[in-house]
Amino acid sequence: MKTALDKIIDYKYDEVAVSKKRQSFETLHERAISTPAPRSFYRALSTTAEAGKNALICEVKRKSPSAGDILAGADPIEIAREYERSGASCLSILTDFPSFGGTLRDLEGVKANVSIPILRKDFMVDPYQIVEARAHGADCILLILSALEDGLASELQSCAQSYDLDVLTEVHDEIELERALKLNAKLIGVNNRNLKEMKTDLAVSERLAAAHPDLTLVSESGIKAPSDILRLRKFGFSRFLIGESLMKETNRESAVQSLVNSIDD
C-alpha cells in the first residue's frame, strides 16, 4: 500500500510535467538569474544561534496530511510579517497545493514583504523545481532524503548550489543521516515526523544528535512549547523549524518570542 509520501511524490512528477509544458526550462532559467541574489538562509540561522538565542524557521501552512485543516484561508503575508516582527530567523513557505494548500504565489508575496530568508517547502524531484524556486524568490530549498535516491539528491543539491540557493537536507533516521553526510550537506534537518507513517516523536532528534554531537542540526516538527525547546537544547539544538503549533496560535507573536527566548540556565 502506498504511503502518504508515495502519493505526494507521484503527483509531484505530474505537476512538474505540466509546469514544463507551461513554461520552458530556458525561459524559467532566464527569469531565475534575473532575480536579486538570494538571502543567506544558513547565515541567518547561525547569526541568531551564535548570539545565544533560538534560531526559528517559522512555517506558513494551511493544512497537512497528518493534521488536516490547520488554518484554512490563512494570509501568508500577514503571518510572515508576524513571524518576522517577533524574532523568527527564517521562514518556511509551503508551495504544495493538494496536500498543504500552498502556492508559489504565497512564496512570491511573502518574499516581497519581509527581509528574512525564505525556504521553499515542497517535495523536490526535478531540477526544474529548483530553478522555479529561485525564479519565485526562494533563498533555500528542501531535499527530503526519504523521497530521493542518492543520485537524484546529489543532482538537485548541485543544481541548487549553481543558483546560489542554500539547501536544507532533511533526514529521519541514522541511515538517512549518513546519506546526508556523504552528500556533504551543509545544513541538515531532523524531521521528528515519519513521513511514511505520519508519527511524530522528539526522541528522533535526541537520538540522532546524541549519536553525532559534533553536528549542528535543525530539529523539525512536533515542537509546540518552550518546554520542547528546552528539552532539545539539552542535546545541542539551537535551530528549529516550527509550523503547525504556531499556525494555531491566537497570539502568534508572543508565542514566537517565548520560543526564541527559551534558553536553558
Side-chain angles (χ1 to χ4, degrees):
M1 179 178 291
K2 287 190 174 183
T3 66
L5 178 60
D6 293 331
K7 294 175 183 177
I8 290 172
I9 297 304
D10 284 348
Y11 75 65
K12 198 56 59 176
Y13 278 105
D14 293 337
E15 283 184 358
V16 172
V18 171
S19 295
K20 287 180 177 179
K21 291 180 180 179
R22 186 183 303 122
Q23 184 171 212
S24 71
F25 185 95
E26 292 73 21
T27 300
L28 191 63
H29 167 76
E30 291 301 320
R31 178 178 172 183
I33 63 175
S34 69
T35 61
R39 304 160 185 166
S40 178
F41 195 91
Y42 181 87
R43 187 183 309 121
L45 294 178
S46 297
T47 298
T48 301
E50 289 167 4
K53 294 187 177 182
N54 296 311
L56 266 56
I57 306 166
C58 294
E59 189 162 86
V60 176
K61 63 178 176 182
R62 298 179 179 88
K63 64 179 183 177
S64 76
S66 60
D69 285 335
I70 298 170
L71 190 60
D75 181 344
I77 295 174
E78 177 184 348
I79 293 172
R81 285 171 170 165
E82 291 178 342
Y83 285 155
E84 182 175 36
R85 284 196 301 265
S86 49
S89 297
C90 298
L91 301 174
S92 171
I93 307 298
L94 265 298
T95 60
D96 174 89
F97 183 75
S99 297
F100 294 89
T103 68
L104 285 165
R105 290 188 300 276
D106 294 338
L107 177 63
E108 283 191 327
V110 170
K111 184 60 177 282
N113 284 277
V114 301
S115 60
I116 56 179
I118 301 172
L119 168 74
R120 179 191 180 183
K121 183 82 172 287
D122 212 316
F123 298 80
M124 299 295 176
V125 296
D126 191 290
Y128 185 94
Q129 296 167 287
I130 308 295
V131 187
E132 190 177 53
R134 172 70 188 270
H136 288 270
D139 304 296
C140 182
I141 58 98
L142 179 72
L143 296 183
I144 303 172
L145 292 192
S146 292
L148 299 168
E149 296 294 335
D150 288 345
L152 180 55
S154 179
E155 180 185 2
L156 296 175
Q157 177 178 267
S158 295
C159 181
Q161 291 170 344
S162 73
Y163 284 89
D164 297 322
L165 295 171
D166 284 333
V167 177
L168 176 60
T169 303
E170 183 177 286
V171 306
H172 178 72
D173 57 26
E174 290 82 356
I175 294 174
E176 290 176 2
L177 179 54
E178 291 301 325
R179 291 174 58 204
L181 294 175
K182 289 179 181 178
L183 288 169
N184 294 315
K186 184 178 180 181
L187 185 63
I188 300 174
V190 179
N191 195 341
N192 300 307
R193 179 175 294 117
N194 185 323
L195 294 178
K196 297 182 182 297
E197 300 174 1
M198 294 301 171
K199 295 179 181 178
T200 304
D201 187 355
L202 294 183
V204 176
S205 279
E206 295 172 335
R207 187 178 71 248
L208 296 189
H212 293 271
D214 55 316
L215 295 179
T216 298
L217 303 170
V218 179
S219 185
E220 309 171 5
S221 302
I223 302 162
K224 301 176 181 179
S227 58
D228 296 324
I229 295 280
L230 294 175
R231 171 181 169 180
L232 290 166
R233 282 186 65 87
K234 293 178 181 178
F235 288 82
F237 285 95
S238 57
R239 296 158 176 81
F240 309 90
L241 190 153
I242 308 174
E244 183 178 326
S245 62
L246 290 176
M247 290 295 295
K248 292 179 177 179
E249 282 285 347
T250 55
N251 190 337
R252 199 169 287 111
E253 292 187 42
S254 176
V256 172
Q257 289 169 0
S258 67
L259 294 170
V260 168
N261 296 308
S262 294
I263 309 298
D264 41 330
D265 296 329

